[in-house]
Amino acid sequence: IDSAAQHGQPIGVIGGTGAAKTALVQLIPRLYDVSEGTLKVGGIDVRKYDLEVLRDNVAMVLQKNELFSGTIKDNIRYGKLDATDEEIIAAAKAVNAHDFILKLEKGYDTVLSERGGGLSIGQKQLLAFARTMVSDPRILILDEATSSIDTNTEILVQEGIEHLLKGRTSFVIAHRLSTIQKADRIFVIDDGRIIEEGNAAQLLAQKGFYYDLYMSQFKNVM
């Protein structure tokens, strides 16, 4: 793979099952290292960074995110342990979690059961976004973060994602093309390699993998 993402640029990542999409982005926080070639952040090989410093600047939101027994406030604060109540509320507002939190029995002081029992999938994702927002990462990775959300909160989640991405270098792995239509660039991955690259309009014009996937997802609304 020989490509680059510019600072603050949202990058969409798509590909078939087993294409190594997740493996690609996991190289950034060094969940494991490249076996050949180099991966650079800010022009520096990631292997030269202090691991703790590197990971403090990278945040990942997954399809399923762990919530723990404790208050809503504590679950959000886990993204930044010294966050003030004001910072927590601001983060929740930014990703559209504030309103549903206030409707809970004790608002931000509502105690969650293990794994967030009682919350919808979409609400859990909004809390994960708030946790990420309060940590203020320089690099953001969303790995199928919207693939299992319920339709009732899909619009809120999508708006929350847009707030999260603003001003950050981000990599959004998605099956739904609607999630990445606004990305500055889209990487189409196959067997660990970028086989197509460009924005949505450019990839449609190529009539390759992206075009075929687009036609399969949107043929009923065209």
Side-chain angles (χ1 to χ4, degrees):
I1 295 172
D2 184 12
S3 195
Q6 301 302 315
H7 174 70
Q9 190 174 50
I11 302 293
V13 182
I14 65 169
T17 302
K21 303 182 295 297
T22 296
L24 172 67
V25 296
Q26 285 180 341
L27 294 172
I28 299 172
R30 291 189 63 195
L31 297 184
Y32 56 91
D33 286 327
V34 294
S35 56
E36 59 182 69
T38 57
L39 176 68
K40 296 180 179 180
V41 171
I44 301 173
D45 191 318
V46 291
R47 291 169 291 191
K48 294 184 179 180
Y49 282 98
D50 177 87
L51 190 58
E52 184 175 352
V53 172
L54 176 65
R55 291 181 178 174
D56 280 347
N57 284 280
V58 180
M60 298 183 70
V61 181
L62 309 177
Q63 180 177 347
K64 294 182 179 180
N65 297 277
E66 291 297 325
L67 298 176
F68 54 83
S69 299
T71 66
I72 294 281
K73 189 183 298 181
D74 288 340
N75 270 274
I76 296 175
R77 183 177 278 122
Y78 189 71
K80 180 186 176 185
L81 297 180
D82 60 350
T84 64
D85 289 355
E86 289 74 19
E87 287 175 321
I88 289 171
I89 293 172
K93 286 181 176 179
V95 298
N96 287 338
H98 181 69
D99 288 347
F100 97 79
I101 292 173
L102 289 185
K103 293 177 182 178
L104 298 175
E105 182 180 0
K106 295 183 179 180
Y108 284 85
D109 292 318
T110 299
V111 177
L112 297 179
S113 60
E114 188 175 358
R115 298 182 181 177
L119 298 181
S120 71
I121 294 174
Q123 289 170 336
K124 292 177 184 179
Q125 286 300 78
L126 290 176
L127 290 184
F129 292 158
R131 176 190 293 170
T132 301
M133 178 65 81
V134 81
S135 72
D136 194 24
R138 297 183 65 183
I139 299 175
L140 175 64
I141 298 169
L142 303 182
D143 190 351
E144 297 283 8
T146 65
S147 62
S148 60
I149 61 174
D150 51 284
T151 54
N152 290 333
T153 51
E154 182 171 4
I155 294 176
L156 289 177
V157 170
Q158 292 289 0
E159 290 176 352
I161 287 176
E162 290 187 18
H163 285 291
L164 267 178
L165 299 184
K166 191 173 182 179
R168 308 179 200 280
T169 306
S170 54
F171 297 85
V172 183
I173 299 175
H175 174 69
R176 298 177 187 173
L177 294 186
S178 58
T179 307
I180 59 170
Q181 287 297 292
K182 296 181 181 180
D184 286 359
R185 292 160 71 200
I186 299 169
F187 294 157
V188 180
I189 308 296
D190 183 52
D191 195 25
R193 293 183 176 276
I194 298 173
I195 60 172
E196 296 176 20
E197 178 181 344
N199 60 35
Q202 291 168 337
L203 291 176
L204 282 174
Q206 292 180 27
K207 293 193 174 182
F209 182 97
Y210 181 91
Y211 175 86
D212 291 341
L213 186 58
Y214 181 93
M215 295 302 291
S216 70
Q217 291 191 14
F218 295 105
K219 61 183 178 181
N220 292 328
V221 297
M222 295 180 66

